[in-house]
Amino acid sequence: MRKMMPKANATFSSTITIFLLLAISHFPGALSQSDEECTPDYDNTCTDKNRAFNLKLIAVFTILITSLIGVCLPLFARSVSAFQPERSLFLIVKSFASGIILATGFIHVLPDSFEMLSSHCLNDNPWHKFPFTGFVALISAVFTLMVDSITTSLFSKSGRRDPCADVASAESPDEEMGPASHYGHGLHHSNGKELSSNLQLLRYRVIAIVLELGIVVHSIVIGLSVGATNNTCTIKGLIAALCFHQMFEGMGLGGCILQAEYGWAKKALMAFFFSVTTPFGVVLGMALSKTYKENSPDSLITVGLLNASSSGLLIYMALVDLLAADFMGQKMQRSIKLQLKSYAAVLLGAGGMAVLAKWT
């Protein structure tokens, strides 16, 4: 049974990667060379290319370090008994991280998409006559649900075709088989528990991969906007805010990676991939600063649609796969006190990200 999981996981990961590459390849407008660029809203006295370049270099290294700290903290904290996944403290910390991810989708990413796709730089028809942000976020959330449910369903069916399960289901009534029937009944329960455990593990792995996908898209977009601007007034506040943002978001992702029970090689790869995406976006923005025009219609449309899809994914994952799964689980349902502590942690995490929204 366990052997099926890496194969299913690899197939899912490859599918998501190909989908993301195809999606990005169909948005050539991000590298806009159009002359139709709107005038930026900020004061030109803040524009200083040389000083902005130095600040961007600082941003690359500080964001990389804080991202690594955030995503690796849950992985190394497992050696501490209080932070074991079955402990109450782990659920409280995970609730805090889930609140951060939920607020990222609602307060950071979704409003940015609304602002970009309702910009006066875009034509009234169709951008001001249809709520594209809400529509794309809706489609993204439904697509995430579809991937989530179909992947779990396919694995569940493959598990039911397991030979051991067939043997257990072939047991005879108690009257006819006597003691042998009890053995078959016990085998049936054993296989049922194993299948349930494997399904839960698969769910954790799907959650970790899809959540990282949503965070990666969001992180690259943020890094790109930082790298493309020469406004020192904007960059100063963004560096500090993004360091906290990436560290807390990394804690949420690190908790999901921990529950997925990957080997150390895969854990390291996922942690590294998360940590380098925002710095990579900053470097990419710096390299494309002459061709990437953040206020051009093409760029506003591309980044706005990417933000909308990322927000739908993050909101779904935070509410359904993280918060609802934990709060409706047996451990939470047995303790009102634990639920109240976890709700407080959710509000604290979401509140912290809401405060950071002032600078990002």
Side-chain angles (χ1 to χ4, degrees), residues 193-237:
K193 287 181 180 179
E194 183 182 355
L195 178 60
S196 177
S197 175
N198 287 336
L199 283 173
Q200 186 60 53
L201 183 57
L202 176 73
R203 293 270 304 135
Y204 285 143
R205 292 185 173 182
V206 171
I207 289 169
I209 293 173
V210 177
L211 181 60
E212 175 145 10
L213 174 66
I215 292 175
V216 161
V217 172
H218 167 55
S219 297
I220 290 178
V221 168
I222 288 179
L224 191 64
S225 62
V226 172
T229 185
N230 290 314
N231 182 0
T232 56
C233 300
T234 300
I235 297 174
K236 284 179 183 178

Side-chain angles (χ1 to χ4, degrees), residues 36-41 111-129 133 294-301 304:
E36 300 178 11
E37 183 184 0
C38 292
T39 304
D41 295 330
D112 285 349
S113 179
F114 272 115
E115 182 181 355
M116 290 176 180
L117 296 182
S118 61
S119 172
H120 66 278
C121 301
L122 302 181
N123 293 330
D124 285 342
N125 189 17
W127 301 106
H128 296 170
K129 295 185 177 181
T133 294
E294 60 181 343
N295 291 299
S296 71
D298 288 338
S299 297
L300 287 170
I301 292 169

Side-chain angles (χ1 to χ4, degrees), residues 138-152 203 210 312-313 316-317 320-321:
L138 168 67
I139 296 299
S140 176
V142 173
F143 175 77
T144 307
L145 171 63
M146 182 179 69
V147 170
D148 203 358
S149 63
I150 291 177
T151 304
T152 306
R203 293 270 304 135
V210 177
L313 189 155
Y316 170 86
M317 295 297 295
V320 179
D321 282 337

Side-chain angles (χ1 to χ4, degrees), residues 20 212-213 216 220 268-278:
L20 181 60
E212 175 145 10
L213 174 66
V216 161
I220 290 178
L269 182 62
M270 293 184 75
F272 173 79
F273 196 53
F274 163 77
S275 301
V276 301
T277 47
T278 302

